[in-house]
Amino acid sequence: TQRVAVLCLQLVKALRTSAIVETREMAAILLRRVLTKDEVSLWANLQPQTQAGIKGELLKSLHEEQNKRIAGKVGDTVSELAAGVYEEGWPELLPFLFQCVTGGADPLKVTALNVFGELAAYIGDSLVPHLATLHGILGQGLQACD
């Protein structure tokens, strides 16, 4: 399991620190594949502290990534990972997404809304108490497009 952790952490490091756009993009794609695909998922083999670190770094990357395409890939990774692990716990996710949608720059809002959209099928019941807020945010976003 140590090799699994090293692999995942090296992918996270490449995603977060590489100056090469293609490297960051491929790291996001590979992370999604090794963490979320049932037949090859390495997630269950990681220690809880490593899992927490990866989730935190993915959210930081989502917040800080300037390249729109890579931000989208990170959003896909967050969405798919959250769909698989939300029930076991990712309490930071929804507050983070709400913060991005309400106070982030426009590209971050778009990415966060895409994550919400992807997650709706998996965690829809968790979003019900927030529907009024989401409705207001979507309305503001649509008005901003005018």
Side-chain angles (χ1 to χ4, degrees):
T1 60
Q2 187 171 358
R3 284 195 233 178
V4 170
V6 170
L7 169 66
C8 294
L9 293 172
Q10 287 299 315
L11 287 171
V12 168
K13 182 179 178 182
L15 172 66
R16 299 284 291 134
T17 63
S18 179
I20 302 168
V21 170
E22 292 81 6
T23 300
R24 293 196 319 274
E25 182 177 20
M26 186 54 66
I29 292 168
L30 290 173
L31 269 170
R32 185 179 79 239
R33 288 185 180 167
V34 301
L35 295 178
T36 65
K37 302 299 181 193
D38 289 338
E39 61 275 0
V40 295
S41 178
L42 302 177
W43 187 255
N45 298 324
L46 297 172
Q47 295 294 320
Q49 64 270 23
T50 303
Q51 292 175 343
I54 289 171
K55 290 189 287 189
E57 289 299 317
L58 285 171
L59 296 183
K60 286 179 191 173
S61 181
L62 196 64
H63 188 262
E64 297 170 2
E65 180 58 59
Q66 298 297 308
N67 183 293
K68 194 172 162 179
R69 191 173 72 226
I70 297 170
K73 301 287 186 201
V74 174
D76 292 343
T77 302
V78 168
S79 298
E80 288 189 35
L81 180 59
V85 305
Y86 189 78
E87 303 237 342
E88 65 191 54
W90 195 346
E92 308 85 6
L93 181 61
L94 287 181
F96 171 82
L97 291 174
F98 278 114
Q99 180 184 10
C100 291
V101 170
T102 57
D106 286 347
L108 182 57
K109 288 179 185 178
V110 169
T111 302
L113 288 170
N114 284 336
V115 172
F116 269 124
E118 292 295 321
L119 285 178
Y122 302 102
I123 64 165
D125 292 340
S126 299
L127 295 174
V128 169
H130 307 288
L131 285 179
T133 303
L134 283 171
H135 185 265
I137 290 167
L138 290 171
Q140 289 173 353
L142 291 173
Q143 287 176 351
C145 291
D146 290 342

